[in-house]
Amino acid sequence: MADDPDAEMSMGCDEAHGEPSSAEATDNDNTTSFIDQLSTGMFDKLSVFLHGELQVTSDDYKLLQEMNEVTSEKYSQMKQVTSTLSQSIDEVNRKYDSLKPYMEQIDVIESRVEQLEQAAYNLDHYSRRLEAKFKSLERR
């Protein structure tokens, strides 16, 4: 069959020109068209996929930006509260410093009152002993 020129013709090769036969050209055109369709479909799907990935990344960055803004606002509020507390503490310390001499006077007075109480207790104790002694002398 290899020596038969009709056999070579049936294999799809035109010997005179070395070009594919019309059936083979149609098959090649169909194959090329099919590959083109598959390639186009693949690129379309890849485009959709990449667009989705970029959209997710963009959404992530937007979310991070919103979180940063909220966090920044929260820290700003905390800074204001801290500043107010600091001012309040400074005011309380100033008031404490202004009252400190009076508290020291109160401590001195308290100490003297304790001494006076002790003296009164001692005097009461001494007067009871004296009274008991006087009553015992009266009975004799």
Side-chain angles (χ1 to χ4, degrees):
M1 274 198 190
D3 293 325
D4 185 10
D6 290 332
E8 287 183 17
M9 196 100 150
S10 67
M11 294 171 87
C13 188
D14 188 357
E15 285 185 23
H17 301 292
E19 295 179 5
S21 68
S22 64
E24 192 174 88
T26 304
D27 285 344
N28 283 341
D29 287 343
N30 287 341
T31 303
T32 303
S33 175
F34 181 68
I35 290 173
D36 286 347
Q37 288 175 357
L38 289 176
S39 296
T40 302
M42 179 189 72
F43 284 120
D44 288 344
K45 290 177 182 177
L46 182 63
S47 173
V48 169
F49 170 76
L50 290 176
H51 181 73
E53 287 295 312
L54 291 174
Q55 185 64 41
V56 167
T57 302
S58 176
D59 291 346
D60 286 347
Y61 280 120
K62 286 178 185 177
L63 177 63
L64 284 173
Q65 184 178 4
E66 289 176 17
M67 289 171 62
N68 283 338
E69 289 171 0
V70 169
T71 302
S72 177
E73 183 179 324
K74 195 69 168 174
Y75 280 134
S76 177
Q77 291 172 354
M78 290 172 63
K79 180 183 175 188
Q80 181 63 35
V81 168
T82 302
S83 176
T84 303
L85 284 174
S86 177
Q87 291 172 356
S88 297
I89 288 172
D90 289 343
E91 184 179 340
V92 167
N93 284 337
R94 281 193 301 274
K95 287 180 180 180
Y96 176 80
D97 289 341
S98 71
L99 293 174
K100 195 171 184 178
Y102 299 113
M103 290 188 291
E104 289 173 353
Q105 288 177 358
I106 290 171
D107 289 342
V108 169
I109 292 171
E110 181 183 15
S111 174
R112 289 182 181 167
V113 167
E114 287 174 0
Q115 290 173 354
L116 187 59
E117 283 178 357
Q118 187 64 38
Y121 174 77
N122 289 340
L123 184 60
D124 185 48
H125 183 66
Y126 177 74
S127 67
R128 287 186 187 172
R129 281 191 348 218
L130 189 59
E131 184 181 358
K133 196 172 198 182
F134 180 71
K135 285 186 180 180
S136 76
L137 286 177
E138 248 184 12
R139 287 187 206 151
R140 289 191 193 174

